Each structure stands twice: as structure tokens, then as C-alpha cells.
Amino acid sequence: MIYVKIDKQSNQNYIYQQIYEGIKVNILEGRMKPDEKLPSKRNLADQLNVSVNSVMNAYEQLLAEGYIYTSERKGYYVESITRFLHNENSIKKPLPQDLKEKSKNHEGWLSLSHMTADISLFPFKEWLKCQQKALSLHKRELSEIPNPQGPYIVRRTICRLIALTRGVICEPEQVVLGSGTMSLIQQLMVTQNNNAVVALEDPGYFRLYSLLKKMGFNVNPVGLDDRGIKIEEVDSLTADFTFVTPSHQFPTGKIMPISRRIELLNWAASSGDRYIVEDDYDSEFKYKTDSIPALQSLDRNQRVIYTGSFSKTMLPGLRISYMVLPPDLLREFRRYHTDLIQSSNSLNLFTLHYFIENGEYSRHVKRMNHLYETKRKMLIKELQDRFKSNVEIDDIPAGLHLLAHFKTTKSYEEIETRAKEQKLEIYTMKRFLLEKEYESNNKIDLIIGFANIQEEKIAEAVDRLFSVLGT
């Protein structure tokens, strides 16, 4: 006898699902024994006052999952199932509170974050047109696993773009596409001996520092002077890889002059196994001057690994980045990653191809350059008017953030707490110091982003910042 309770008024489960669940529980709790015969479909249907089809669907699901088996012309039988081990930890417990996630309430908050982008002027209609074209012309490619480096046609388009805008010299075969610069760096570095010595700018990108440390590399933060990373320190480390952001150092904003660029390239060229990783994360945004050519464009010895992203210029959520590898490293990369599956969304990649090809991308970047320059000027003026002699701004006309030095007696912890109270998102230099201790000395350095703050909200954001710093 099978004990199954059917609720014909239930809106939760179909009748067959209730039968399936009831029999499954009977089997798992041992009320039905291995090799015990189940009632025929018609008999059980009569017993439960349901249709034969409902019983048949329940039996078929139980059969598919291995709870029962069938013997030809004899019927259905209970399968011999391995029993669960029972101990004090076998009862399913709720997720611990420290693992719970809470959605942030953005109401009333203003952001001076360096990590955001303004999407108010993004040409969504044109993007959707390009997406429709991609869907129409690339059905076959979308049905297949893509090339590990990404579709060739997209790599060729990006190759042309960065040659025009950044002076990068490469072939489409050297371009590797990925869902983020960090994932691309990880793919690159996993091909290397983890005894390799790595030099990073300090202050710099802490996520990169953390990633390389976890991968087991000998990571060495290197200080900056007014021209960028200190070459003599890099040289003394006998580094194998040096990671730099020469077009707009992150987070200080310094632009590496030609003399230091040549010194860095000469350092790499002096040994056959040295490489420079150039992160060109927001190079599209320059104000008052033309864009500065990439470090890679000066490289005569194929020692520079160039990385870029569309997160700042378009939508961060698209997750499209790229890396340009010198031939020797490309060969290693392909040999190591023969089974790599491309991580970027193929539809977005093909859409990007047409978005660039029809000129929409360059028009959008031009619009955003004008918008960001306006915001930047407004922000600097508001800061200077509000803080007067208590602020010093490194006025470097590039990128989507600036470095500002404030006189204040507040500690980093106090500022962080007060900023939350004021619903103001800000980041201090302490976040980007890799190993050095943060020293305030009655001043604090803030990395102030202006990409996602509305023009009409800039004055209010500066007022909140004034309340936070208490100067």
C-alpha cells in the first residue's frame, strides 16, 4: 500500500508531481523496500482517484531519476538505493548569517567613485541595431564554441581600432578577448613559472596585487616619483614582469613622460625574459591635449603586453576586455590554453564589432569626452570654492578620476564612517597602498571619480564631502 496524499486544490504542484514526491519520500524513508512492486498505473489511479496519465508521468519521472526500475510485462519495482548517512550534521541548516547578502539601498546616495561610468548618453538604440545585425549574420558562430581568443573578425576590428587611437602595433592573431582585465592577466600569468618576480606600482591596483600573491608569485610593490614607477627599484629586484599604467597612473593620475617610458623599455630589452604589462584602462579620456600613444607603440623588441577594456568607455556590465601578446608569449598562451573556452559573451562581441565598424563607438567616445571634461571642471571648481586653501588638486587632464589632498585632523576610519552617514561613496589613498603604511599627517588623499555623478549633484556631493572632512 502506498500512502500518498493528494491535494487537488493545490496551486503549487501538478497531480503527477504530488504522486512523484509522495512515492519518493516513501522510498527514501524506507517505508517501501527494495524490489517491492508498485501498484499498476490503473490500480494506483483508482486508489488515489486521479487519471492514469498522472500516475504514468509520476512513474516515468521516478524511473528517470533511478528511484524505481521496470521489468518487462511485470511492472514497476523499488530500486535498491544507498541510504544517507545520518549524523548530527546531516540535517540541512539555514545559510549562516555571515554568508547572507544584503542588497544595498542606493536611495539618497551620491557617488564619487572611480569605478563607475555614465551611461546616460549611451546610444542603446544603435547598440540594439548592431545586436540585431549580429544575430542575423552570425547564427552559425553563435551556435558554436568560439575560438579561445575570441572571434577573429572582432579581434581584427579591435586591432584596427587600437592602432588608430593608441598607436598599438599588432596583428589580430595577437589579440586575446576576455570578460575582464583581471581574468586575462590570470590566464597570462598561469602560463609562467610562479617563481617569476613581479613589480607593481605602489600605490596601485590592489586587486591585481592580491591576485598575483594568491597565484604564488614573488610580488614586489615599487614606489613612484614624479615621472612614474622608479626604474632603479625595478632593476634592483631583477623583476621578470613589471605592471604599469603609464597613460594615467592608477590611482595618482600621473602621466609617464617619454624619458621614463624609454627607460622602462630599455630595462625590458636588456634581458630576453623581461616583460612590461601595460594597463591602458581609461586612455580614451584626455582633455585639452590629444591622446598619448601607448607604451606598446614605442616597443621595438616585443617586450610589452598591452591590455585594454571597454568598461570605461561603454558599459561596465558588458565585461569586454582585451590583451595583446608578443609572439613568444602568444605561442606559450596557445600551447597552455588549448582547452580554454572564451569567457566573453559572443553576441556582445559581434555587436561590438558592428558598433565600432559603423562609427558609433568613436562618436560615443567623443560625446563622453566632452561630458566628462565638463564634469571634471565643475568638480574642481566646486572643490576649490568650498575647501579653498584646505585642498590641493593634482590637475591632470586625463581619465575619470583625480587625486585631491585635503587638510584634516580626521583619521581614515573616521572619514569612512562619516561618509557612510552622509551617504557619500568615496575612496581614500589607503585603499590603494599595497604595502606601505598610510600616514595622514593632518591630511588625507582622496581618489575622486566624476564619471557617474550628475552635473546638478556635484555641488551637493562636495557639500557632503565638506561635512565628512570637517575642515
Side-chain angles (χ1 to χ4, degrees):
M1 183 73 175
I2 296 177
Y3 296 96
V4 177
K5 186 177 180 180
I6 300 298
D7 181 3
K8 294 184 178 180
Q9 306 302 316
S10 172
N11 293 321
Q12 299 296 318
N13 291 318
Y14 293 112
I15 298 296
Y16 87 89
Q17 291 174 324
Q18 296 181 49
I19 299 169
Y20 154 80
E21 288 289 346
I23 296 175
K24 183 174 75 171
V25 169
N26 274 271
I27 293 172
L28 290 176
E29 293 185 355
R31 291 196 291 270
M32 297 182 70
K33 305 303 179 183
D35 301 318
E36 180 179 335
K37 187 176 181 180
L38 277 71
S40 70
K41 291 176 280 190
R42 186 169 299 280
N43 285 344
L44 186 58
D46 290 342
Q47 177 186 322
L48 299 176
N49 193 25
V50 298
S51 72
V52 173
N53 279 342
S54 293
V55 176
M56 181 179 69
N57 289 336
Y59 278 9
E60 289 300 316
Q61 186 64 34
L62 290 163
L63 185 65
E65 294 184 25
Y67 288 100
I68 63 176
Y69 67 93
T70 184
S71 180
E72 189 174 357
R73 296 184 181 180
K74 290 185 178 180
Y76 295 91
Y77 298 83
V78 176
E79 186 65 82
S80 179
I81 298 173
T82 303
R83 297 299 172 190
F84 286 110
L85 290 176
H86 289 283
N87 56 51
E88 59 184 13
N89 296 317
S90 65
I91 300 174
K92 190 172 182 179
K93 298 178 181 178
L95 187 69
Q97 284 300 316
D98 63 309
L99 297 178
K100 293 273 190 179
E101 295 183 25
K102 294 181 181 179
S103 57
K104 183 177 179 181
N105 182 3
H106 295 279
E107 185 178 355
W109 279 78
L110 294 178
S111 176
L112 293 175
S113 168
H114 59 285
M115 295 184 286
T116 54
D118 190 332
I119 66 170
S120 63
L121 297 183
F122 188 79
F124 286 102
K125 287 184 179 179
E126 286 71 19
W127 177 263
L128 289 174
K129 288 178 183 177
C130 293
Q131 188 178 75
Q132 286 296 323
K133 189 172 184 179
L135 284 168
S136 174
L137 298 179
H138 297 281
K139 289 185 174 69
R140 178 176 176 179
E141 292 95 327
L142 291 171
S143 71
E144 300 171 341
I145 295 177
N147 184 297
Q149 292 179 224
Y152 184 87
I153 188 175
V154 184
R155 289 183 277 139
R156 184 179 63 193
T157 297
I158 290 174
C159 187
R160 291 171 178 169
L161 174 70
I162 58 180
L164 179 66
T165 61
R166 307 294 299 122
V168 172
I169 304 165
C170 70
E171 299 293 334
E173 288 81 358
Q174 294 175 253
V175 177
V176 181
L177 304 178
S179 58
T181 301
M182 289 285 283
S183 65
L184 288 172
I185 294 299
Q186 186 173 25
Q187 290 170 20
L188 166 68
M189 297 304 291
V190 77
T191 68
Q192 304 300 307
N193 188 320
N194 62 7
N195 290 325
V197 178
V198 176
L200 295 181
E201 298 169 322
D202 189 7
Y205 193 34
F206 192 85
R207 283 192 176 96
L208 176 61
Y209 171 76
S210 178
L211 169 68
L212 295 174
K213 291 278 281 187
K214 288 174 181 176
M215 292 180 73
F217 288 99
N218 180 0
V219 184
N220 299 270
V222 175
L224 310 174
D225 58 25
D226 60 352
R227 295 189 296 167
I229 195 167
K230 296 178 180 178
I231 298 296
E232 62 276 12
E233 287 191 28
V234 174
D235 203 33
S236 68
L237 292 169
T238 62
D240 301 295
F241 288 86
T242 298
F243 287 75
V244 291
T245 49
S247 294
H248 190 229
Q249 199 280 328
F250 184 81
T252 67
K254 297 177 188 292
I255 297 175
M256 187 181 289
I258 185 64
S259 57
R260 181 57 54 83
R261 290 174 181 239
I262 293 173
E263 289 174 3
L264 191 55
L265 289 168
N266 286 343
W267 165 83
S270 65
S271 176
D273 56 359
R274 290 178 176 176
Y275 289 96
I276 301 163
V277 182
E278 176 183 13
D279 185 355
D280 219 15
Y281 67 99
D282 67 356
S283 60
E284 294 86 356
F285 301 112
K286 292 289 184 292
Y287 318 109
K288 301 179 184 177
T289 64
D290 291 337
S291 292
I292 298 169
L295 180 66
Q296 197 267 8
S297 69
L298 302 170
D299 182 20
R300 300 179 179 182
N301 299 284
Q302 297 181 321
R303 298 283 99 194
V304 176
I305 300 152
Y306 179 83
T307 67
S309 171
F310 291 95
S311 291
K312 298 292 187 183
T313 53
M314 292 173 44
L315 308 173
L318 283 177
R319 309 308 304 147
I320 300 177
S321 296
Y322 54 91
M323 174 171 64
V324 178
L325 294 176
D328 287 347
L329 289 182
L330 176 61
R331 189 172 289 109
E332 281 186 46
F333 185 92
R334 287 181 175 177
R335 184 165 52 241
Y336 188 94
H337 289 298
T338 54
D339 299 319
L340 180 69
I341 294 179
Q342 170 57 223
S343 60
S344 290
N345 180 296
S346 292
L347 178 57
N348 285 340
L349 291 177
F350 285 118
T351 303
L352 175 65
H353 159 71
Y354 292 110
F355 194 70
I356 295 172
E357 285 287 289
N358 69 10
E360 283 297 338
Y361 177 76
S362 60
R363 286 190 284 273
H364 177 61
V365 171
K366 187 175 181 180
R367 280 194 301 270
M368 298 312 295
N369 250 298
H370 177 72
L371 174 63
Y372 288 143
E373 183 177 17
T374 300
K375 288 186 179 184
R376 178 179 168 277
K377 288 178 179 178
M378 289 179 64
L379 178 60
I380 290 175
K381 184 178 185 305
E382 288 292 339
L383 288 169
Q384 291 173 334
D385 288 349
R386 196 74 174 90
F387 287 89
K388 300 186 174 11
S389 62
N390 288 320
V391 66
E392 180 183 342
I393 299 169
D394 291 356
D395 189 4
I396 299 170
L400 301 180
H401 71 269
L402 52 86
L403 176 60
H405 315 274
F406 296 89
K407 295 178 183 177
T408 180
T409 58
K410 300 287 186 301
S411 68
Y412 166 77
E413 289 75 15
E414 286 179 282
I415 288 171
E416 187 178 50
T417 300
R418 290 164 67 95
K420 288 180 180 178
E421 292 171 354
Q422 290 288 331
K423 293 188 175 182
L424 181 67
E425 186 180 15
I426 57 173
Y427 295 92
T428 77
M429 182 61 80
K430 183 176 181 180
R431 178 185 176 93
F432 310 104
L433 292 174
L434 306 186
E435 287 188 355
K436 297 176 182 176
E437 290 295 323
Y438 182 78
E439 297 178 5
S440 59
N441 296 324
N442 292 328
K443 74 176 182 66
I444 197 158
D445 299 335
L446 297 185
I447 311 304
I448 302 180
F450 48 85
N452 205 28
I453 183 79
Q454 297 173 323
E455 292 176 52
E456 61 271 21
K457 295 289 186 178
I458 290 176
E460 182 182 350
V462 172
D463 283 341
R464 293 190 193 184
L465 182 60
F466 188 84
S467 297
V468 168
L469 296 176
T471 53

